Amino acid sequence: MGQVSEHEDTCVARVPIFRGLTPAQQHEVAGFARPVRAPKGSLLQAAGAEQKRLVVLHSGRIRLVHVLENGREQVVRVAEPGDAVGETSFLLGRRPEHFAYADADVTLCTFDHADLARLVASYPPIAVRMLQVATERLLSAERMLAAFASTDVGTRVAAYLLDQPSAVVDRRTVVRLPMAKKDVASYLGTTPETLSRRLADLVADGVVELSGRREVVILDADRLVERATP
């Protein structure tokens, strides 16, 4: 991984845990950031390794993977620009449980834990936002856990779609899948073929519409909620 020549304080301005700070405070925080570039496939974090930095993604994607006892890889989540990786290690002082790989060429900023601790002491809202982000992620995990209690893959697919960020485009609610469908299938504990069939069922029933390789248009949110209920 190589150092980025230009100081990229946009890493600070766009990440949720720093968003509540004033521009002057964000500028000060940016002074502690260490910009880094890494090519696709790079290992950014190893499970069980001593982790002394917080990673903030500026561009590209980071795939977090948990390796099961049988050696199979389970996709945990995909971090998009503006996301941070490693808050739990900082907040709880624990070693990471997941591997993190660059899913594309990435530019990111890192913060040493010692520097981050000083920033939190100076600006408590950073810690509050960290806890809020961690809580939101926990709630998301709980919703998906409830869906996973069902043996019906269709229930998991519906819950997953409802759990993704959406945008209104031309008065239609659009969800963009954060990762390739094969990785979504891995996350949901199913196969790409079964995922495609369950999506096709939702399309046939007029609940959603597929647009391109990763966009899903929600046509009937109420019926999708019904499908997501175990």
Side-chain angles (χ1 to χ4, degrees):
M1 294 188 291
Q3 292 293 323
V4 176
S5 58
E6 295 182 1
H7 189 71
E8 300 197 31
D9 60 356
T10 47
C11 270
V12 173
R14 69 191 303 170
V15 71
I17 61 174
F18 300 129
R19 199 169 291 155
L21 302 180
T22 67
Q25 291 170 339
Q26 289 181 352
H27 180 73
E28 181 179 349
V29 170
F32 291 88
R34 299 184 180 184
V36 173
R37 280 200 182 99
K40 179 178 180 179
S42 298
L43 176 64
L44 304 175
Q45 170 184 287
E50 190 172 6
Q51 184 76 359
K52 292 295 186 180
R53 66 177 187 172
L54 176 79
V55 174
V56 174
L57 183 60
H58 175 53
S59 67
R61 291 187 310 277
I62 296 176
R63 178 165 45 96
L64 276 80
V65 173
H66 183 70
V67 178
L68 304 177
E69 291 184 0
N70 61 7
R72 188 170 68 88
E73 291 189 348
Q74 177 79 44
V75 177
V76 177
R77 70 181 177 100
V78 172
E80 298 280 354
D83 289 340
V85 175
E87 308 102 306
T88 303
S89 295
F90 173 73
L91 290 170
L92 300 180
R94 296 179 180 175
R95 298 191 177 195
E97 297 180 352
H98 312 306
F99 291 88
Y101 298 96
D103 210 29
D105 292 346
V106 297
T107 58
L108 42 90
C109 297
T110 67
F111 294 85
D112 288 344
H113 281 187
D115 291 335
L116 193 57
R118 284 192 286 269
L119 289 170
V120 166
S122 298
Y123 305 115
I126 296 176
V128 173
R129 282 299 296 147
M130 276 186 167
L131 291 172
Q132 288 173 336
V133 170
T135 301
E136 289 167 359
R137 200 170 293 153
L138 176 62
L139 291 174
S140 173
E142 289 177 345
R143 284 193 294 268
M144 289 308 303
L145 184 62
F148 269 78
S150 170
T151 57
D152 180 31
V153 176
T155 300
R156 300 180 213 166
V157 173
Y160 180 78
L161 292 176
L162 288 170
D163 202 46
Q164 300 308 302
S166 62
V168 177
V169 180
D170 295 331
R171 298 184 179 181
R172 305 205 306 173
T173 301
V174 179
V175 169
R176 178 170 174 77
L177 300 180
M179 48 190 164
K181 289 180 181 177
K182 65 179 180 62
D183 291 326
V184 174
S186 170
Y187 177 75
L188 295 177
T190 188
T191 64
E193 294 76 16
T194 300
L195 172 63
S196 294
R197 286 196 291 270
R198 298 293 80 82
L199 286 172
D201 290 342
L202 292 173
V203 171
D205 292 342
V207 179
V208 304
E209 177 183 293
L210 302 184
S211 176
R213 299 179 63 181
R214 290 199 180 185
E215 290 189 347
V216 179
V217 181
I218 299 178
L219 303 177
D220 193 329
D222 290 338
R223 291 177 65 193
L224 190 61
V225 171
E226 291 177 2
R227 296 294 183 92
T229 304

